Amino acid sequence: MKSLEIRNLQKTYFDPYAGTKVTAVQDVSLDIREGEFVSVVGPSGCGKTTILNMVAGFLPATGGEIRVGGRPVKGPGADRGVVFQSFALFPWKTVLDNVGFGPKMRGVPKAERDRIAREYLALAGLSHAADRYPNELSGGMQQRVGVVRALANDPDVLLMDEPFASVDAQTRMTLQEELTRIWQEKQHTVLFITHDVGEAVFLADRVVVLSKGRVMRDIPVTLPRPRVWDEVTEDEDFKRLSAEVLHMVRAA
Amino acid sequence: MNPALQAWGYYARWTARWPGVAALVPFIPVVAIWWLVASLEVFPRAFFPGPAEVVRGFVDLTYKGILPAYLEDSVGRLLLGAGFGMAIGIPLGILVGLSQTAYRATWPIILFFQAIGDIAWLPILLIWFGFGLTTMTFVIVYTVVFPVVFNTVLGVRSVPRDLPRAALSLGAPRWRVLTEVILPGALPNIVTGLRNGLGYGWRALIAAEIIVGTSGIGFLMFDARRAGSATEIVLGMIVLGLLWYAVDAWILAPIERATGQRWGLVTRT
């Protein structure tokens, strides 16, 4: 695990239709310690996905600096695992080969990467689906594979871009609980982007509220772990925090 | 139970076991009408042969070895041309699909040359290369390349942006993204392009054989015209249709089933 430092990050781009320069991210600084889980929330258009895309190396920043474990980020790399809202599983590979893709790229031999993939699949209760193709699985199962695929590559930092936004509400709660359980086991450094306030508070050690390309607030979450929805929903701290964050997001 | 329904059930079970039968059944009325029109002698027999004459012609030409030899020539030319066509079309399509610069530099040229139909090249090709295999191969390559290029470009562009991103963030170098993501992602479209290309190429080949002709099914038909044998012309036409059906049903469709359909990229029909 490594820390993630974001310093004065900025992104402007030229909008060819409007003929003007648009600022997506104005000036964002954010530090995530080793093994810390940070949620970033904000209304749509606040620049949260743009930040993740820059941290992942998919988009170049127009200003500022991103460091993983002190090393500056240049383009995409295996040190930052990404979980996508669209799942982004390879449709032509079985679940096992999807999960083993990262190790394959590192040159891990077939038998060894299958063993790694099976171990991680078991972690998410997906052992039975190893030989199936992604389109044969439900949305919830597909995203479990998406999470497990990122973890099996043993990244320093895990980047999650609204990963549970396109699964149904019941499945989402189960996935959130599974994620906290796995996170407690593996203690990854996580940057989690969402627009769902309850989700942000439930999962994180800190919630960062973003507005118009800037950090508006940075709120620590001290709810006890392990967290399960049946208990957390009743928790007074959770209710107070969620209400507070929701208020800020709506005012943002 | 209704006897018609019973017969239908029997038919359905039977064709499920031998799918080839299901492909032949629709031709029964076609052949029946053909037979009826021919035997009523609506047209003179010499101009409009019936099924029996054509079958006799088929047996005769097969026995003499002419039909198998010509068929081999035609299919060989098609495969040679299609092979070159793919070797040019797939890499070009991937390049144009991936690179905006390559797209801007080549697209107008591709459209320009696409507009000059394959057959329109024949006069100049005959001057350059004469009546031979080079001319025919050129025509087929020319016909196959465009549908392969267009569909490959489409295929490359239809790969969702998150897939190469996912591969990169899992540590894939650029060239592995090409082989592991872009190529398989574009494959269903490439197969479609190949299917169209082969179909056009097959037609272009027959046209080329009629003009260039020294052998082949197209030559067989045109040569029969000189001898005034309507039977052999009709036989040639039927062979063209049957051969294409075989290529499509036994080669192209299975590839589609094994790739795009299995992966859920293409809906089943």
Side-chain angles (χ1 to χ4, degrees), chain B:
Chain B
M1 202 207 274
N2 186 332
L5 206 64
Q6 213 164 2
W8 172 249
Y10 185 71
Y11 173 75
R13 273 194 304 278
W14 210 55
T15 50
R17 200 175 316 160
W18 290 288
V21 174
L24 288 178
V25 168
F27 286 104
I28 292 173
V30 177
V31 174
I33 292 169
W34 174 24
W35 176 80
L36 193 70
V37 173
S39 53
L40 287 175
E41 307 224 9
V42 180
F43 309 102
R45 213 57 211 246
F47 294 168
F48 197 88
E53 281 104 316
V54 172
V55 169
R56 222 173 298 131
F58 173 78
V59 172
D60 189 39
L61 282 179
T62 308
Y63 184 69
K64 285 181 191 159
I66 295 174
L67 191 62
Y70 280 7
L71 202 57
E72 196 185 317
D73 283 356
S74 289
V75 172
R77 285 166 192 156
L78 181 70
L79 290 181
L80 184 70
F84 276 117
M86 281 194 291
I88 298 168
I90 296 173
L92 184 63
I94 287 171
L95 184 71
V96 171
L98 286 178
S99 155
Q100 200 61 34
T101 315
Y103 172 76
R104 275 196 226 107
T106 59
W107 203 245
I109 302 173
I110 292 175
L111 288 184
F112 174 83
F113 281 105
Q114 189 214 7
I116 309 169
D118 37 77
I119 310 296
W121 277 88
L122 273 174
I124 193 80
L125 289 175
L126 287 173
I127 291 176
W128 287 348
F129 305 119
F131 292 79
L133 183 64
T134 315
T135 300
M136 284 190 278
T137 308
F138 189 101
V139 169
I140 299 168
V141 170
Y142 200 86
T143 339
V144 171
V145 156
F146 293 102
V148 170
V149 168
F150 291 138
N151 283 284
T152 305
V153 170
L154 184 70
V156 168
R157 293 201 175 149
S158 65
V159 174
R161 191 178 54 182
D162 281 346
L163 292 186
R165 283 181 168 183
L168 286 169
S169 73
L170 287 164
R174 299 266 162 193
W175 69 272
R176 292 303 288 270
V177 176
L178 185 70
T179 58
E180 300 275 349
V181 181
I182 304 295
L183 266 180
L187 192 62
N189 284 95
I190 294 176
V191 174
T192 304
L194 187 61
R195 197 175 195 167
N196 291 340
L198 280 175
Y200 299 150
W202 186 229
R203 283 176 239 176
L205 171 70
I206 300 309
E209 282 177 348
I210 284 175
I211 295 169
V212 178
T214 46
S215 71
I217 301 296
F219 173 74
L220 172 94
M221 290 163 69
F222 209 62
D223 200 43
R225 181 206 62 112
R226 224 173 14 217
S229 167
T231 307
E232 284 181 21
I233 296 177
V234 173
L235 173 61
M237 292 162 74
I238 292 172
V239 168
L240 293 182
L242 285 182
L243 195 72
W244 180 251
Y245 182 84
V247 169
D248 197 78
W250 295 336
I251 301 174
L252 296 174
I255 296 177
E256 285 193 336
R257 275 197 296 275
T259 57
Q261 290 183 4
R262 178 97 170 99
W263 307 331
L265 298 176
V266 184
T267 45
R268 266 159 254 242
T269 47

Side-chain angles (χ1 to χ4, degrees), chain A residues 3-250:
Chain A
S3 62
L4 173 66
E5 300 162 56
I6 300 171
R7 286 272 180 284
N8 305 106
L9 193 65
Q10 196 192 43
K11 180 72 186 177
T12 54
Y13 61 91
F14 185 75
D15 182 343
Y17 298 105
T20 52
K21 257 173 95 176
V22 180
T23 304
V25 177
Q26 204 155 41
D27 180 9
V28 168
S29 295
L30 175 64
D31 276 0
I32 304 181
R33 290 191 318 273
E34 277 182 56
E36 191 179 26
F37 196 125
V38 172
S39 293
V40 172
V41 277
S44 62
C46 72
K48 53 191 193 298
T49 293
T50 309
I51 292 174
L52 183 131
N53 282 333
M54 286 190 283
V55 175
F58 300 148
L59 290 177
T62 40
E65 223 185 353
I66 301 161
R67 286 169 181 274
V68 172
R71 262 193 30 236
V73 159
K74 291 189 223 82
D79 55 335
R80 285 145 292 142
V82 182
V83 181
F84 298 83
Q85 184 182 348
S86 66
F87 315 149
L89 302 177
F90 306 120
W92 45 85
K93 288 181 187 293
T94 60
V95 166
L96 191 73
D97 288 344
N98 262 283
V99 178
F101 185 82
K104 184 181 177 185
M105 291 302 110
R106 273 187 280 137
V108 176
K110 173 83 176 145
E112 172 65 5
R113 64 175 189 256
D114 281 358
R115 192 194 59 74
I116 296 172
R118 283 187 197 285
E119 180 194 315
Y120 275 90
L121 284 172
L123 190 67
L126 280 168
S127 298
H128 62 286
D131 296 322
R132 285 157 75 182
Y133 283 89
N135 76 305
E136 297 166 343
L137 307 179
S138 67
M141 280 168 80
Q142 289 189 38
Q143 193 57 306
R144 281 189 182 93
V145 177
V147 173
V148 157
R149 182 178 67 176
L151 291 177
N153 204 29
D154 199 19
D156 295 329
V157 177
L158 192 60
L159 309 173
M160 307 183 80
D161 185 13
E162 306 198 31
F164 307 141
S166 44
V167 296
D168 67 86
Q170 271 72 43
T171 309
R172 188 180 309 142
M173 287 179 146
T174 314
L175 288 173
Q176 288 158 350
E177 288 177 345
E178 282 177 17
L179 180 63
T180 55
R181 175 175 60 78
I182 293 171
W183 178 79
Q184 271 189 287
E185 206 172 303
K186 303 273 174 185
Q187 293 284 322
H188 279 92
T189 310
V190 183
L191 172 64
F192 191 100
I193 305 286
T194 180
H195 61 260
D196 179 336
V197 168
E199 176 174 76
V201 175
F202 177 82
L203 292 170
D205 295 325
R206 267 162 63 208
V207 175
V208 171
V209 182
L210 219 62
S211 166
K212 300 187 182 76
R214 286 174 183 280
V215 173
M216 201 162 86
R217 282 285 296 279
D218 191 332
I219 307 153
V221 181
T222 51
L223 301 174
R225 292 183 187 267
R227 296 176 189 166
V228 283
W229 273 113
D230 290 340
E231 293 164 18
V232 172
T233 330
E234 304 297 320
D235 191 289
E236 287 306 320
D237 279 346
F238 175 78
K239 286 184 194 164
R240 187 181 46 74
L241 265 173
S242 300
E244 193 184 332
V245 173
L246 184 66
H247 194 70
M248 279 188 278
V249 170
R250 299 207 60 185

